[in-house]
């Protein structure tokens, strides 16, 4: 029997992933900002240096949206996790190009740090969704 997550379980996984990835990315931000890799002289947004607020939002919001997308794959397909994993990894790889191409005057170090932050979010989301599915599978098998 295939155990599928309901909307609540998917959202909880997304929220946990968002909070966890926000904490990880905030730590990375402060470490690399303190080390001078992320500088206030490079502007990812027009006339605005990188701050912690967009880092946190860019970790939480995509995780919650991703968990909703996962729920839709889970609901309407037989291989929701597999399909979602493929889509998430493809989008993650595509997102790795943006720090190099979108930010004017960006340094290699700055771009690489942003790439690491881009990797944290989808991998954390995949981890929490998988964990939720395993937990649900264990509960389902014990109740049979």
């Amino acid at each position: 029997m295939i155990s599928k997550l309901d909307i609540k379980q998917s959202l909880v996984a997304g929220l946990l992933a968002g909070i966890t990835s926000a904490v990880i990315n905030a730590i990375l931000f402060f470490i690399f900002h303190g080390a001078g890799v992320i500088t206030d002289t490079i502007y990812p947004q027009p006339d605005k240096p990188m701050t912690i607020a967009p880092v946190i939002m860019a970790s939480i919001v995509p995780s919650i949206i991703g968990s909703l997308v996962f729920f839709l794959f889970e609901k309407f397909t037989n291989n929701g996790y597999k399909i979602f994993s493929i889509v998430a990894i493809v989008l993650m790889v595509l997102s790795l190009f943006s720090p190099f191409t979108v930010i004017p005057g960006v340094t290699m170090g700055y771009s690489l740090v942003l790439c690491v932050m881009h990797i944290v979010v989808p991998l954390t989301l995949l981890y929490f969704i998988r964990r939720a599915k395993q937990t649900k599978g264990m509960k389902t098998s014990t109740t049979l």
Side-chain angles (χ1 to χ4, degrees):
M1 175 179 211
I2 298 172
S3 60
K4 293 189 172 204
L5 299 183
D6 60 28
I7 186 77
K8 181 182 175 189
Q9 293 163 323
S10 296
L11 283 172
V12 167
L15 187 59
L16 289 172
I19 291 168
T20 303
S21 60
V23 169
I24 293 168
N25 281 338
I27 291 168
L28 290 172
F29 173 82
F30 285 122
I31 288 171
F32 287 107
H33 192 270
V37 177
I38 296 176
T39 66
D40 292 339
T41 59
I42 297 174
Y43 304 122
Q45 301 169 356
D47 298 326
K48 289 185 178 182
M50 176 76 78
T51 62
I52 192 64
V55 170
I56 291 171
M57 294 305 294
S59 299
I60 294 173
V61 173
S63 294
I64 293 171
I65 292 170
S67 69
L68 291 171
V69 171
F70 165 75
F71 170 73
L72 294 173
F73 280 126
E74 186 83 341
K75 183 174 175 108
F76 296 111
T77 68
N78 289 328
N79 296 321
Y81 183 77
K82 183 177 181 179
I83 296 167
F84 179 76
S85 297
I86 292 167
V87 170
I89 291 170
V90 167
L91 290 175
M92 177 188 70
V93 169
L94 292 174
S95 78
L96 298 179
F97 295 107
S98 65
F100 296 101
T101 59
V102 175
I103 304 170
V106 69
T107 63
M108 180 62 78
Y110 198 122
S111 293
L112 291 175
V113 169
L114 291 178
C115 286
V116 170
M117 291 178 172
H118 282 210
I119 291 170
V120 167
V121 176
L123 294 183
T124 306
L125 180 58
L126 289 171
Y127 168 78
F128 278 99
I129 288 172
R130 182 180 206 118
R131 194 175 116 194
K133 285 185 70 65
Q134 289 172 342
T135 303
K136 181 168 176 114
M138 286 191 289
K139 288 180 184 175
T140 303
S141 65
T142 58
T143 59
L144 294 177

